[in-house]
Amino acid sequence: MSQTQLFKELFSIRDWLRYAVSQFESSDIFFGHGTSNAYDEAVWLIFGFLHLPHDTIENFLDAHITSKEKKDLLFLIEKRINDKVPTAYLLNEAWLRDYKFYVDERVIIPRSLIAESLSENLYPWVDDPETIYSALDLCTGSGCLGIMMAHSFQNATIDLVDLSEKALQVAQINVDQYGLDDRIELIRSDLFDGLKGKKYDLIISNPPYVNQASVNNFPMEFLKEPSMALGSGDEGLDHTIRIIHEAKQYLNDGGMLIVEIGHNKEALLDKFPGLQFQWLDVSLGNDFVFMLQKSQLSN
């Protein structure tokens, strides 16, 4: 069907939503950056492109789309299918819980399980959110978790750390958008290397944790993301091991370390048989995010 004929037959958002779902279903695109199916992906793409709220879809389904919008929307649908560009990059937006973040190809697309616990102020691990005065988001990427920490712990000053200067540029955009420049500092560092003398009540990290076998089988969508933000050695634990070995000297007494490790729990327990990891309950279970108190970490 020609573009002209397509535009004549698709009038409303409902029409374009049906068309996009059909196109996505018949393609080989991969869902894994915020959605798990063609319908949710199409809603995100269309409503995000039109700058319409996702939670009131029924209010807009019968609204007509302009000729210019049709042309641009078709371009995005085709780019999603043909070039396997994630929707987050097409729209320059990603969501964690109720938080919206700017993203582009300089950063990994936010999808951390830690966000679930942050939305509840890390209860029950943190008894009183007001007693967190300093926090670190290590391997911050877009700055998403650090910004969520700033909302959960209103008394805290927060450092966002990443090795990638490009990632920190994106994080700065998000810090500015949330008006948190007075509470958040961005630091370029290879994990803790640039943080000498600093101490924190809370350190969280969603570091690279994909093992080499998984990297070798990435779908095209994941190959659009910065490779340094994903892979972490043969077992996916290179970054996590360094963090566990070094974190204690950067924690205040009573401080805690929270790290996401993906599907690497068994390998992690083999590496540290003497550590009493505590596991956060998240939507996928209690095998993906661990917590350690400073007193549990070795020097």
Side-chain angles (χ1 to χ4, degrees), residues 19 34 45 196 260:
Y19 175 77
L45 179 60
K196 304 303 181 186
E260 184 167 338

Side-chain angles (χ1 to χ4, degrees), residues 106-176:
R106 291 174 288 180
V107 294
I108 189 175
I109 297 167
R111 48 189 180 271
S112 175
L113 294 168
I114 296 175
E116 299 177 17
S117 296
L118 279 177
S119 67
E120 300 176 354
N121 303 333
L122 293 179
Y123 179 84
W125 309 107
V126 174
D127 292 330
D128 183 358
E130 294 185 1
T131 62
I132 302 295
Y133 297 105
S134 58
L136 168 64
D137 177 11
L138 199 61
C139 305
T140 190
S142 63
C144 54
L145 294 180
I147 288 168
M148 290 186 69
M149 280 201 293
H151 287 84
S152 294
F153 308 114
Q154 295 287 329
N155 293 332
T157 56
I158 298 164
D159 288 341
L160 308 186
V161 169
D162 206 287
L163 179 59
S164 168
E165 185 63 41
K166 292 181 178 180
L168 291 174
Q169 292 168 1
V170 174
Q172 186 66 64
I173 292 172
N174 287 312
V175 170
D176 291 343

